Amino acid sequence: MSAIWYFEDINLFKILCPHKYPTYKENHKVNSYKKSDYIYFEEDTANKIYLIDKGKVKIGYYTEEGDEVIKSILTKGEIFGEKAILGEDKRNEFAQSIDNTTSICPVSKDTMYELMRDNVSVSFKIYKFIGLRMKKLERRLQLLLYKDTRTRLIEFFNELCDDYGYECDETGDHIIKHPYTQKDIATLIGTSRPTLNTLMNELKSEEIIDFKGKELRLLKKVA
């Protein structure tokens, strides 16, 4: 079960979505996006936080040379644009739908502040979640800068295990049922899809992992 959806047993989507609160429900709506539609651009005003009802969103930025750098790919139940509640005025990244049936629940910064003021405990958990998200992103960027592709891939699998994995009672393997395609994974670790396929097959032949579709198994001897 995703550590993002159920951060410390708190379902952030259910808590934060204004549809759950009669005061806000009437004037609130869910927005739909197709593949390649942008939710926001770099330099846009940061006045909302977004909750993913369904679909998939990539977060990234463009270098001065025009190259796209993907920071994260988020799925159902996750939040993004959260730096707006930390005082960010302008976006320093873009958010783009990469699914044809993406539904996003936008929450204004002011509404989010009101919801957080109503529950101090939830407010604390949200800030802690943001801190963990930022540490995770920093770690991933360090891997991209300083580690080889094989190391980046193994570290990414360890991240997946934290978010989506569980231990098999029979074998002791760590089983990961994740939402990412191979293209998503290649993008996140900064490599090509053919290189990713080669590495995954090498790890499989070395009995480090096994995989089928979106189910990945970290074998007991390395899990």
Side-chain angles (χ1 to χ4, degrees):
M1 186 168 291
S2 171
I4 302 298
W5 263 65
Y6 289 86
F7 174 68
E8 291 192 357
D9 297 323
I10 296 293
N11 186 318
L12 291 179
F13 183 87
K14 287 185 177 180
I15 288 174
L16 299 180
C17 181
H19 278 105
K20 313 299 178 183
Y21 300 87
T23 305
Y24 304 104
K25 183 176 181 180
E26 184 176 347
N27 296 318
H28 191 69
K29 64 179 181 179
V30 173
N31 297 327
S32 298
Y33 297 88
K34 297 294 186 181
K35 186 175 182 179
S36 298
D37 287 348
Y38 284 88
I39 294 91
Y40 58 75
F41 297 92
E42 294 181 69
E43 299 300 321
D44 278 359
T45 301
N47 56 9
K48 293 179 182 178
I49 292 85
Y50 300 87
L51 316 174
I52 304 177
D53 183 38
K54 64 178 180 178
K56 199 180 294 184
V57 173
K58 70 177 179 180
I59 309 296
Y61 63 92
Y62 292 99
T63 66
E64 293 182 357
E65 293 74 27
D67 297 323
E68 183 182 81
V69 178
I70 303 303
K71 297 164 65 175
S72 58
I73 293 177
L74 307 175
T75 58
K76 180 178 179 179
E78 299 194 75
I79 69 175
F80 62 97
E82 69 276 4
K83 285 185 286 185
I85 60 177
L86 299 179
E88 180 183 72
D89 295 321
K90 298 288 184 181
R91 301 293 184 190
N92 60 5
E93 61 193 18
F94 66 79
Q96 183 182 30
S97 170
I98 53 174
D99 189 280
N100 271 320
T101 57
T102 296
S103 293
I104 303 293
C105 173
V107 185
S108 74
K109 184 163 57 175
D110 291 340
T111 297
M112 182 63 72
Y113 285 145
E114 289 180 27
L115 293 174
M116 292 169 67
R117 280 196 297 266
D118 288 342
N119 192 318
V120 175
S121 175
V122 171
S123 177
F124 171 76
K125 292 179 184 295
I126 291 170
Y127 280 122
K128 188 174 180 181
F129 161 77
I130 291 173
L132 291 173
R133 163 77 64 81
M134 293 176 72
K135 286 182 180 179
K136 185 176 179 179
L137 175 59
E138 182 181 355
R139 181 166 171 263
R140 181 172 294 167
L141 291 177
Q142 287 177 341
L143 287 171
L144 285 172
L145 288 172
Y146 303 115
K147 301 296 182 180
D148 60 82
T149 307
R150 178 186 170 103
T151 301
R152 296 201 302 268
L153 179 59
I154 293 173
E155 288 295 317
F156 180 73
F157 288 159
N158 288 331
E159 276 188 22
L160 288 183
C161 191
D162 290 339
D163 288 347
Y164 302 99
Y166 63 92
E167 186 174 315
C168 177
D169 293 333
E170 295 181 1
T171 65
D173 298 341
H174 286 174
I175 299 173
I176 305 166
K177 295 185 177 180
H178 61 87
Y180 300 114
T181 64
Q182 286 201 2
K183 182 179 179 181
D184 292 339
I185 295 173
T187 298
L188 285 169
I189 68 169
T191 192
S192 66
R193 192 169 175 180
T195 298
L196 174 67
N197 288 334
T198 298
L199 284 173
M200 289 187 68
N201 286 322
E202 286 178 0
L203 293 173
K204 184 175 182 179
S205 67
E206 294 170 21
E207 298 185 344
I208 293 175
I209 66 169
D210 196 7
F211 57 90
K212 182 179 181 182
K214 292 184 180 180
E215 180 174 306
L216 175 71
R217 185 180 290 258
L218 301 184
L219 301 183
K220 184 178 179 179
K221 69 175 185 178
V222 294

